[in-house]
């Protein structure tokens, strides 16, 4: 194997994989390495036996994780995600999915119900004029005010008088004072339309998100979001890797990187063209020769400490609508017996199939024993997305933490698990038995600001944003930024390239039929 | 980042390719003209043959709006094909006509002549099959049931297609076994629930309710109150939507029920008070208030100076807000003095 590459990418998380695919398609020679025997890194989709192994490794790495219960039979028919998320129907991520052709490798369906936990019961969240019209829970006046707010949020609010001076006030406050919404309605909008993580999140970024999600609804159906089959993000990351491989990218899974060093050009074994001088040499476990590259892109977790401070880090934000980045996420994956479909309320709207992917939002302070500051999301997944065999389901519970917590994920999340199980029991009058559960803490590696003396050609990828609705869009934006940095870093040296040469496009036009295979998008 | 049709390359058209395309189009046009000539000359000669039948099909597939040819096709059926066929065969032919036009409708949902042809097929179906010597109407019932299904699919695709609503009424009125008015009311509830900005759905609801009130299946007073509740949800959710205001006006009718009138006036007044609001909403609120207060004045409190004054004030505000209709508001003011 030729061991000279333009780019080596370490880690097959979602952001890294998008970057690798884009660089591969742009014509660069890419090697992509991951110490895990699976794709997806910290966002991987795992079968239940893989999950158990992952738990053991996580413990060995001194992370907080606990696991209860026996792995059920048919462990391979489950696809659990370590970082569950949904895909906005309009946004940079879905655009990348389509433009890259990776959408053809996967299957997607609409997210089902979004409900909020309020006063001990699950309530619907009105997302459109018709939801408001039909709601039995709001007074006439409340309906008028909510509709007015939705029209405001869907329009050009940037210079509006309502927003003037209020951009940084908490959204809950803004809704209550300016739009005169009741507390319950304000909560529903803040946490289940704007998907704020924390109680004091500010108005302007949340409004941007709300507008984006209102516009996204209707593109594929009434929900603003899609969910991926087979566990979502990990599966999609694998799709991007496949796209990279099709264009010649080389994949090395299950091998650790044992050393990374800068290259002294005078020490090279074989003389190479001056314009293609490698900058880094990467030692891979069990490989006789080092791999050379001119540009090294790595997930921050896989970069050795001494290089982290020297790397150029891309700030991960859609700055206009980003939520404050959490310090860590407390997570729980629970496998349960019985269907996890939330029944549609009232007369069904047509013959649409009920989706078993739904989202329950617990606002801060809604659950006794729960958090007073963080909003907790519970996502369900089941046979509808091929994530579990028939008759079983997966519950994902996620709590963003804005500081280090003295409590373990288990202590933080148990009250929510108990509440959800009894809610399902109430909704469906069946016993919901818990088969097994895993609690873990996901620390997000903090981004160090890029200093001016960062090493040329060394780019670090920040951790995948854990925000349920925004994470994938941020991944796409960061991936594009890294792509551009890498491309300009690599092209800048090639003096023989014409001045009039085009900038690399993030995704070149797809040929009409790129390969013979690939599934159709299933709805 | 530009996205062109999911990033699929569009082939650039060279001058040669364009010329070729024009050539192909010309031959298509010639083909169409020749076919038209053929069919129309056969029509003149009263050609009722199967060949002629096939030709009309080809022509109508290209241009379903050619109503002369639809007429000709029906004449072929009546004069040429039906006299040679058993009732069962006739039924099969008509079922086939219905299938064929369903496909045409999907592409052309608003072409009157296709709907027309379907009506003809439904109305001219044989009464059979015979059961114990008595025509059972089963064929007709089956065709009409399917027809209702088609009308519903059209309304699922576009709930505001008034042609489809009209057609739905026609089908419901002509089915051998009628559907209940109650189920129709439920249908309008579903359509309004899905999107209440829909004149046709509210209109259908009003017609259905009248039928239910007259037949005694629903108590008019309670039902009216229920309807006021329903429509007030629409008014408050979107006061700019006219279809709800028009329904509300129909419900009020001539204003015989004083309690209802006063209650609704209060409701609209509160809606008007809710600031800030659009010009459209203010217009509708004030306009309705004037109309309803006048009804109150005429029917229940003929001497009331307060009511009269309130109307005059509202009309002045309306004239300011809507200067285009100034003269109308003046007229209304004058009417009040009589």
């Amino acid at each position: 194997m030729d061991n000279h590459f333009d780019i080596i990418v370490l880690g097959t998380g979602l952001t890294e994989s998008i970057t690798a695919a884009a660089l591969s398609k742009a014509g660069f020679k890419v090697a992509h390495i991951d110490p895990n025997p699976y794709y997806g890194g910290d966002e991987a989709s795992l079968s239940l036996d893989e999950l158990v192994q992952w738990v053991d490794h996580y413990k060995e790495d001194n992370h907080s994780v606990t696991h209860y219960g026996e792995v059920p039979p048919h462990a391979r028919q489950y696809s659990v995600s370590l970082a569950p998320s949904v895909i906005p129907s309009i946004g940079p991520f879905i655009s990348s999915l389509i433009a890259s052709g990776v959408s053809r490798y996967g299957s997607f369906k609409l997210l089902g119900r979004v409900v909020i936990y309020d006063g001990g019961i699950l309530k619907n969240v009105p997302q459109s004029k018709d939801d408001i019209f039909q709601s039995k829970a709001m007074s006439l006046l409340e309906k008028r005010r909510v509709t007015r707010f939705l029209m405001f949020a869907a329009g050009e609010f940037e210079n509006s008088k309502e927003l003037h001076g209020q951009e940084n006030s908490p959204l809950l406050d803004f809704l209550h004072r300016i739009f005169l919404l009741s507390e319950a309605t304000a909560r529903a909008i803040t946490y289940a339309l704007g998907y704020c993580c924390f109680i004091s999140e500010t108005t302007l970024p949340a409004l941007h998100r709300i507008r984006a999600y209102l516009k996204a609804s209707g593109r594929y159906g009434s929900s603003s979001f899609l969910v991926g089959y087979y566990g979502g993000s990990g599966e999609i990351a694998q799709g991007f890797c496949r796209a990279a491989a099709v264009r010649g990218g080389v994949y090395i899974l299950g091998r650790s990187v044992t050393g990374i060093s800068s290259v002294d050009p005078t020490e090279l074994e074989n003389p190479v063209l001056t314009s293609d001088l490698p900058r880094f040499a990467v030692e891979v476990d069990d490989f006789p020769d080092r791999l050379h590259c001119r540009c090294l892109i790595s997930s921050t977790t896989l970069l050795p400490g001494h290089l982290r401070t020297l790397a150029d880090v891309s700030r991960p934000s859609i700055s206009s609508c980003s939520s404050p980045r959490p310090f860590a996420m407390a997570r729980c994956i629970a496998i349960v017996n019985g269907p996890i479909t939330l029944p549609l309320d009232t007369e069904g709207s047509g013959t649409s199939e009920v989706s078993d992917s739904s989202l329950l939002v617990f606002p801060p302070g809604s659950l006794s024993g729960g958090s007073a500051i963080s909003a907790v999301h519970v996502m369900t997944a089941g046979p509808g997305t091929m994530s579990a065999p028939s008759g079983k389901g997966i519950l994902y519970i996620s709590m963003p933490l804005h500081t280090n917590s003295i409590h373990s994920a288990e202590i933080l999340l148990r009250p929510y698990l108990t509440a959800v199980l009894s809610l399902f029991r109430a909704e469906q009058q069946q016993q919901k038995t818990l088969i097994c559960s895993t609690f873990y803490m996901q620390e997000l590696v903090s981004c160090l600001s890029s200093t001016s003396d960062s090493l040329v050609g060394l780019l670090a990828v920040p951790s995948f944003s854990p925000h349920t609705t925004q994470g994938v869009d941020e991944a796409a934006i960061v991936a594009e930024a890294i792509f551009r940095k890498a491309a300009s870093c690599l092209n800048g040296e090639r003096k023989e390239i014409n001045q009039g040469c085009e900038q690399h496009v993030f995704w070149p036009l797809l040929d009409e039929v790129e390969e013979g295979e690939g599934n159709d998008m299933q709805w | 980042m530009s996205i062109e049709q999911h990033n699929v390359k569009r082939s650039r058209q060279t001058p040669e390719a364009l010329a070729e395309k024009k050539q192909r189009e010309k031959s298509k046009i010639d083909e169409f003209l020749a076919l038209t000539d053929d069919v129309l000359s056969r029509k003149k000669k009263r050609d009722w043959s199967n060949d002629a039948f096939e030709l009309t099909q080809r022509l109508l597939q290209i241009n379903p709006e050619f109503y002369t040819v639809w007429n000709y096709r029906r004449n072929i059926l009546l004069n040429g094909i039906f006299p040679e066929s058993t009732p069962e065969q006739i039924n099969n032919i008509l079922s086939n006509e219905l299938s064929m036009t369903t496909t045409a409708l999907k592409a052309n949902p608003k072409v009157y002549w296709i709907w027309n042809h379907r009506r003809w097929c439904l109305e001219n179906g044989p009464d059979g099959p015979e059961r114990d010597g008595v025509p059972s109407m089963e064929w007709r019932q089956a065709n009409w049931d399917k027809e209702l299904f088609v009308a519903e699919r059209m309304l699922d695709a576009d709930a505001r297609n008034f042609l489809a609503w009209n057609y739905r009424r026609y089908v419901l009125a002509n089915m051998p076994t009628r559907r209940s008015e109650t189920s129709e009311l439920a249908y309008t509830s579903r359509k309004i629930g899905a999107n209440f900005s829909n004149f046709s759905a509210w209109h259908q609801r009003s017609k259905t309710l009248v039928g239910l009130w007259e037949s005694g299946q629903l108590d008019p007073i309670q039902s009216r109150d229920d309807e006021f509740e329903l429509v007030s949800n629409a008014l408050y959710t979107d006061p700019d939507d006219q279809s709800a205001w028009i329904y509300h006006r129909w419900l009020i009718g001539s204003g015989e029920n004083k309690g209802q009138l006063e209650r609704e006036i209060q409701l609209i007044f509160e809606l008007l008070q809710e600031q800030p609001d659009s010009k459209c909403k203010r217009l509708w609120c004030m306009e309705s208030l004037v109309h309803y207060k006048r009804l109150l004045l005429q029917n229940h409190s003929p001497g009331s100076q307060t009511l009269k004054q309130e109307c005059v004030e509202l009309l002045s505000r309306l004239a300011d807000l809507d200067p285009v209709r100034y003269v109308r508001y003046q007229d209304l003011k004058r009417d009040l003095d009589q």
Side-chain angles (χ1 to χ4, degrees), chain B residues 7 15 59 100 331:
Chain B
N7 253 352
L59 190 46
M100 180 191 98
D331 277 350

Side-chain angles (χ1 to χ4, degrees), chain A residues 148-159:
Chain A
R148 183 181 310 118
F149 172 73
L150 287 189
M151 304 296 315
F152 167 79
E156 288 173 17
F157 47 72
E158 277 85 343
N159 295 314

